[in-house]
């Protein structure tokens, strides 16, 4: 499944960064300016005001999917071996804990405790409390959270590895979990559903490189040895994706990708949070005590319920209230 991640020659022109990526870099730079001002190194007041975040439009966002309870059940039951099995199991641990990969990949036996006969996952979030810059400079403490264990499959996963999960770096996780999704797509149709998305910087660069090489080939210009290698690699990928450009597009020219291609390490946290929210039994504050989100705005960004699904939820609540009112009126 190596075709999921393509890299191009670094000498090629660079593609523009995501707006979100730019905002993150601007935010970190602004934070450094503020810290420098506090320490007396930065006396330029203008530098503290001019760096503004850009509004992130929907067309600039990559599709952020979540896996339903049924899809998680199918993933849990899927027969796998080797790295794919390990990656699947660690991903599920992230789903049940609703934590970031940097936290759920490091869970060990000491993180699983019993309090008043109830199981808890206790941890100190790596990115909790404040932004990374604060933690680097010695700012606010990191955030401690305790997650109730509400599904016995958590213990099954832990006992399978004797509470000592293998270490998997995030790049390998992101690659292999897509391979797991691909296997699921053979029997679970929802994993084959297409979503409109945008390409990463690396993917844009790959596509630009391929189109330039196609143009050189068309003109009969001889490839260098390095160009020849990249052309064969990208051409194989293009044929898998039914030709140029490298990625499938709809009639509007928008990039569309199957759901299994959009799964990543962070999908576990997003899926766990969304499915708990859908239960409708926890307040946002209670959910945030599990996820560790300090702001309501950031928390709401994790809820991936679609407009139609939300409308059905609202409609169901209205109908239930109306039925209850009728019963009272009788």
């Amino acid at each position: 499944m190596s075709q999921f991640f393509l890299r191009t020659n670094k000498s090629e022109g660079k593609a523009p960064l995501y707006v979100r990526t730019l905002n993150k870099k601007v935010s970190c730079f602004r934070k450094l300016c503020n810290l420098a001002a506090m320490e007396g190194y930065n006396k330029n007041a203008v530098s503290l005001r001019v760096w503004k975040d850009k509004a992130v439009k929907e067309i600039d966002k990559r599709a952020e999917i979540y896996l339903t309870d049924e899809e998680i059940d199918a993933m849990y039951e899927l027969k796998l071996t080797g790295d794919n099995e390990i990656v699947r199991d660690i991903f599920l641990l992230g789903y049940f804990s609703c934590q970031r990969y940097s936290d759920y990949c490091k869970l060990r036996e000491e993180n699983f405790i019993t309090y008043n006969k109830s199981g808890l996952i206790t941890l100190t979030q790596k990115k909790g409390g404040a932004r990374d810059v604060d933690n680097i400079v010695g700012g606010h403490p990191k955030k401690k959270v305790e997650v109730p264990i509400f599904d016995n499959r958590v213990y099954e996963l832990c006992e399978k590895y004797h509470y000592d999960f293998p270490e998997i770096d995030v790049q390998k996780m992101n690659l292999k979990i897509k391979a797991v999704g691909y296997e699921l797509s053979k029997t679970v149709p929802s994993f084959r559903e297409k979503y409109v998305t945008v390409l990463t910087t690396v993917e844009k660069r790959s596509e630009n490189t391929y189109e330039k090489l196609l143009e050189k080939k068309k003109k009969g210009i001889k490839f260098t040895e390095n160009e020849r290698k990249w052309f064969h690699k990208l051409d194989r990928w293009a044929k898998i994706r039914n030709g140029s450009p490298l990625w499938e597009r709809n009639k509007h020219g928008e990039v569309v990708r199957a759901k299994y291609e959009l799964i990543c390490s962070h999908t576990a946290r997003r899926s766990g949070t969304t499915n708990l929210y859908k239960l409708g039994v926890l307040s946002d504050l209670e959910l945030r005590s599990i996820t560790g989100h300090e702001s309501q705005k950031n928390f709401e960004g994790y809820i991936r319920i679609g407009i139609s699904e939300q409308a059905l939820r609202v409609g169901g609540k209205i109908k239930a209230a109306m039925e209850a009112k009728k019963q009272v009126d009788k």
Side-chain angles (χ1 to χ4, degrees), residues 104-196:
Y104 73 75
C105 74
K106 297 184 181 299
L107 292 177
R108 294 296 180 263
E109 186 170 8
E110 57 268 25
N111 297 112
F112 298 86
I113 65 173
T114 300
Y115 181 77
N116 283 351
K117 299 181 180 180
S118 296
L120 297 173
I121 300 175
T122 179
L123 70 147
T124 301
Q125 291 182 329
K126 186 176 180 180
K127 293 178 66 176
R131 293 183 181 273
D132 286 347
V133 172
D134 288 326
N135 287 319
I136 293 171
V137 183
H140 302 290
K142 298 174 182 178
K143 190 176 183 67
K144 183 176 180 179
V145 297
E146 291 188 346
V147 182
I149 298 175
F150 50 85
D151 194 310
N152 286 331
R153 287 179 291 185
V154 171
Y155 293 116
E156 292 175 10
L157 291 170
C158 291
E159 290 168 4
K160 181 177 180 178
Y161 294 92
H162 306 289
Y163 288 86
D164 186 18
F165 290 88
E167 292 187 11
I168 301 287
D169 65 70
V170 69
Q171 289 81 12
K172 187 173 184 178
M173 164 63 76
N174 286 330
L175 177 65
K176 294 292 184 178
I177 196 62
K178 289 176 174 60
V180 172
Y182 174 73
E183 291 301 317
L184 282 164
S185 72
K186 297 176 181 178
T187 55
V188 184
S190 60
F191 281 93
R192 299 194 297 271
E193 291 176 359
K194 300 294 179 66
Y195 291 78
V196 174

Side-chain angles (χ1 to χ4, degrees), residues 53 69-70 154 200:
D53 289 347
D69 285 329
E70 294 76 17
V154 171
T200 65

